[in-house]
Amino acid sequence: MALMGTSDPSGEDEASQEKPFVLRALQIALVVSLYWVTSISMVFLNKYLLDSPSLQLDTPIFVTFYQCLVTALLCKGLSTLATCWPGAVDFPTLHLDLRVARSILPLSVVFIGMITFNNLCLKYVGVAFYNVGRSLTTVFNVLLSYLLLKQTTSFYALLTCGTIIGGFWLGVDQEGAEGTLSWTGTVFGVLASLCVSLNAIYTKKVLPAVDGSIWRLTFYNNVNACILFLPLLLLLGELRALHHFPLLTSAHFWGMMTLGGLFGFAIGYVTGLQIKFTSPLTHNVSGTAKACAQTVLAVLYYEDTKSFLWWASNMMVLGGSFAYTWVRGWEMKTQEDPNPKESEKSTMEV
């Protein structure tokens, strides 16, 4: 049972080249399907936990805290298994080092903002609008890369960002026209997008503190998050709300909560698995297609009726995201294998 970030990539690349095309295609199809099922299931399950009329549980911070706790315990459990049975489980050794935990603390604060605002956005908006509500991540990536890293962006990439922004505003307008707009959820979605971008930037900076191991970083992030969530639970009165929650002793409730934590852990694994068997570019394209499928499934499941312009806003967001991924991939390929004629065309930057 090998987990991402712990195996030898060169040996795996050679092995994959020796496999027949049909077998490799089947592996890729299975991995992509696993990513889609895990990601979409996690969104629908979180929506149930955060905003289900049958549960009536108004404790989004506790739901997020519990998912972080499950992830941290799973990481530690797998690390222990890897130590006891090194041949059966391949996972990095995890020991809680307070010095490392403190060095990662700034990233953990951003991480908490990312997962909390994601869940708060999902609590207040429908699953169908969830993708549009959090669609500004790419825009913030471009903006923060320029402000913090002084990295410029090509004109064509900026055009795709403009398409995403246009789709976002059209989606907000159409949600308002249909009477289903939640400004609270929309603001949380924008904040979630900002934190996702900040998380990606700061992750690169702190990876050396955990020897470049994504799983060690996941462990420390979730441990820090569990500790930092405790005062929030007290200040926001969620522990008192839990005390009066009628299903607190229900096995079904805790089973669903634990399943949500398992999905939160699994999404990190299947994301890395999809990148390993395809490429970062293909992963982004798959994520865009998954978002489209998720939107359609949400409309069908909740039996919503949406206008043409509402669907157009989703297509603008998804199309802009796909175009940005394609443009960035083309630019990276051009940088690796420069062509004089093409380089002259791509000199216009901001």
Side-chain angles (χ1 to χ4, degrees):
M1 178 179 156
L3 295 177
M4 289 307 299
T6 62
S7 53
D8 180 14
S10 60
E12 290 170 352
D13 289 342
E14 292 176 1
S16 64
Q17 291 175 0
E18 295 174 358
K19 294 177 182 177
F21 171 77
V22 174
L23 179 58
R24 286 189 285 116
L26 181 60
Q27 283 181 327
I28 291 172
L30 288 174
V31 167
V32 172
S33 299
L34 181 62
Y35 169 77
W36 279 40
V37 170
T38 303
S39 181
I40 293 175
S41 299
M42 183 177 69
V43 171
F44 277 90
L45 178 57
N46 280 345
K47 182 63 177 177
Y48 167 77
L49 293 171
L50 293 164
D51 191 38
S52 171
S54 60
L55 281 183
Q56 295 183 341
L57 178 65
D58 189 20
T59 57
I61 302 299
F62 175 74
V63 171
T64 311
F65 160 80
Y66 188 80
Q67 291 176 346
C68 290
L69 179 63
V70 171
T71 299
L73 291 175
L74 281 172
C75 287
K76 186 59 180 176
L78 286 172
S79 174
T80 303
L81 288 175
T83 303
C84 298
W85 294 283
V89 179
D90 189 6
F91 199 85
T93 303
L94 299 176
H95 298 292
L96 187 59
D97 186 329
L98 294 180
R99 179 184 56 83
V100 176
R102 283 196 301 269
S103 67
I104 292 175
L105 190 58
L107 172 65
S108 297
V109 173
V110 175
F111 172 74
I112 288 173
M114 179 181 72
I115 58 178
T116 302
F117 290 137
N118 268 330
N119 278 349
L120 287 172
C121 174
L122 186 57
K123 175 179 173 61
Y124 289 103
V125 305
V127 177
F129 184 68
Y130 182 57
N131 178 60
V132 173
R134 296 169 54 256
S135 61
L136 298 181
T137 300
T138 299
V139 178
F140 281 121
N141 281 342
V142 171
L143 181 62
L144 294 176
S145 293
Y146 178 74
L147 294 176
L148 301 179
L149 305 177
K150 305 304 178 183
Q151 294 178 355
T152 57
T153 304
S154 69
F155 175 72
Y156 296 111
L158 290 177
L159 282 180
T160 65
C161 290
T163 303
I164 295 172
I165 294 173
F168 172 80
W169 281 114
L170 181 59
V172 170
D173 176 75
Q174 290 304 299
E175 284 284 304
E178 295 179 4
T180 55
L181 176 65
S182 167
W183 278 109
T184 301
T186 302
V187 170
F188 282 138
V190 173
L191 291 174
S193 300
L194 174 61
C195 289
V196 169
S197 299
L198 286 171
N199 185 73
I201 291 174
Y202 283 110
T203 293
K204 296 178 182 178
K205 293 185 176 182
V206 304
L207 270 176
V210 290
D211 301 322
S213 172
I214 291 295
W215 285 119
R216 286 196 181 98
L217 182 61
T218 299
F219 173 70
Y220 278 105
N221 258 340
N222 283 276
V223 168
N224 283 344
C226 288
I227 296 171
L228 294 174
F229 272 133
L230 290 176
L232 288 176
L233 292 173
L234 290 170
L235 289 173
L236 297 176
E238 291 199 2
L239 292 180
R240 186 169 57 254
L242 277 172
H243 179 70
H244 298 290
F245 181 54
L247 299 178
L248 189 60
T249 58
S250 168
H252 172 75
F253 167 69
W254 287 109
M256 298 299 283
M257 287 282 288
T258 303
L259 184 60
L262 290 172
F263 275 125
F265 174 84
I267 192 63
Y269 174 62
V270 297
T271 296
L273 201 64
Q274 181 169 244
I275 293 173
K276 170 187 170 183
F277 278 91
T278 59
S279 67
L281 177 63
T282 305
H283 166 67
N284 289 334
V285 173
S286 174
T288 302
K290 186 274 304 181
C292 180
Q294 178 178 291
T295 300
V296 173
L297 284 173
V299 171
L300 294 175
Y301 179 78
Y302 294 106
E303 298 180 348
D304 295 333
T305 302
K306 300 297 183 182
S307 66
F308 172 79
L309 288 178
W310 187 93
W311 286 107
S313 71
N314 277 267
M315 291 301 103
M316 288 177 67
V317 167
L318 294 172
S321 300
F322 174 80
Y324 178 83
T325 299
W326 183 86
V327 168
R328 294 297 295 160
W330 176 76
E331 289 173 350
M332 291 174 64
K333 185 177 180 181
T334 302
Q335 291 172 0
E336 292 174 359
D337 185 21
N339 184 308
K341 293 182 179 180
E342 292 181 351
S343 62
E344 290 175 3
K345 297 179 182 179
S346 60
T347 54
M348 183 164 48
E349 296 182 341
V350 297

